[in-house]
Amino acid sequence: MPRPRTHDPDIVLDATESLAVRSGPAAVTTRAVAAATGVSNGAIYHTFGSRAELLGRTWLRAAHRFLALQSELVDAALDGPDQQDGIDAVIAAAEAPVVFAEKFPTSSRLLLTVERDELLGDVPDAIATELADTDKVLVELLIRLSRHLWGRGDGRAVDVLTVCMVDLPTAILLRRNRIANPLAREQLRAAVRAVLEVGPPP
């Protein structure tokens, strides 16, 4: 029978996340995580199986946190009294990195400043499947909003929302480290509205 867990896995994930953000992915070793948490090497291996799975689980937790928060923001905007045909929901989704950085600062830095391929490398098949599933969640949200706005979920319509929810936040907020800049946030809102006004091609 498997041994019972004697520690909270989130403590290990917190330490892994902090090490990766502070010192880079190479700094994340089982020994370093054990030293940071007081959890033994053996207990870490028992819970996560390998360093690759530990890193994968750390990334997945951050990604799940972000996607859940983004979905909550979209739902709140769609349910709000002032929603304008879904425009506010797209703006809320585009601004999700700002809210995420406020709520989960270390997870935010992991997702936004550490390259996924650099952190993860080769991962177990189960982790690879879950990583692919997180990508699908974002695509499903894009399709949902596209259908809400224009009654269509084809690639050209989804591409417009990808510009709004991925490309513009990256260019305006993230690449220039302006995620906490109120003016940048206003610029993002204006840019999203402008792109949505043009809309998708027929």
Side-chain angles (χ1 to χ4, degrees):
M1 292 181 63
R3 290 176 293 170
R5 284 180 178 155
T6 58
H7 63 277
D8 181 354
D10 276 329
I11 293 173
V12 176
L13 296 177
D14 288 342
T16 303
E17 193 173 69
S18 295
L19 282 166
V21 165
R22 186 174 66 247
S23 304
V28 181
T29 64
T30 305
R31 180 173 294 181
V33 173
T37 59
V39 178
S40 70
N41 287 2
I44 292 171
Y45 276 116
H46 177 70
T47 301
F48 295 100
S50 67
R51 176 181 180 272
E53 182 165 351
L54 172 60
L55 289 168
R57 292 291 168 203
T58 302
W59 181 273
L60 282 167
R61 186 185 66 163
H64 290 158
R65 282 174 169 176
F66 176 79
L67 292 169
L69 175 64
Q70 188 175 52
S71 181
E72 289 170 11
L73 293 171
V74 167
D75 289 343
L78 289 175
D79 292 339
D82 299 326
Q83 71 94 7
Q84 304 169 17
D85 299 324
I87 293 173
D88 287 346
V90 178
I91 291 172
E95 291 186 299
V98 177
V99 182
F100 187 59
E102 293 168 353
K103 190 169 184 179
F104 298 106
T106 310
S107 291
S108 172
R109 289 179 63 196
L110 181 76
L111 290 184
L112 303 179
T113 65
V114 179
E115 292 289 337
R116 187 168 87 172
D117 291 344
E118 179 188 1
L119 178 71
L120 300 182
D122 292 328
V123 295
D125 289 345
I127 298 293
T129 299
E130 291 187 52
L131 288 169
D133 288 342
T134 63
D135 295 336
K136 291 177 185 175
V137 170
L138 176 58
V139 172
E140 288 168 1
L141 180 60
L142 291 165
I143 293 171
R144 175 189 170 198
L145 286 171
S146 178
R147 287 177 174 156
H148 188 90
L149 283 162
W150 304 302
R152 52 190 279 197
D154 59 276
R156 287 177 293 181
V158 168
D159 184 63
V160 173
L161 290 183
T162 303
V163 171
C164 293
M165 294 166 52
V166 179
D167 298 340
L168 288 175
T170 299
I172 295 173
L173 300 177
L174 307 180
R175 282 188 184 150
R176 299 179 61 197
N177 194 26
R178 301 170 73 210
I179 198 165
N181 185 320
L183 177 59
R185 198 165 177 177
E186 281 298 323
Q187 291 169 339
L188 175 63
R189 293 181 189 127
V192 169
R193 288 190 184 98
V195 170
L196 291 179
E197 185 162 348
V198 173

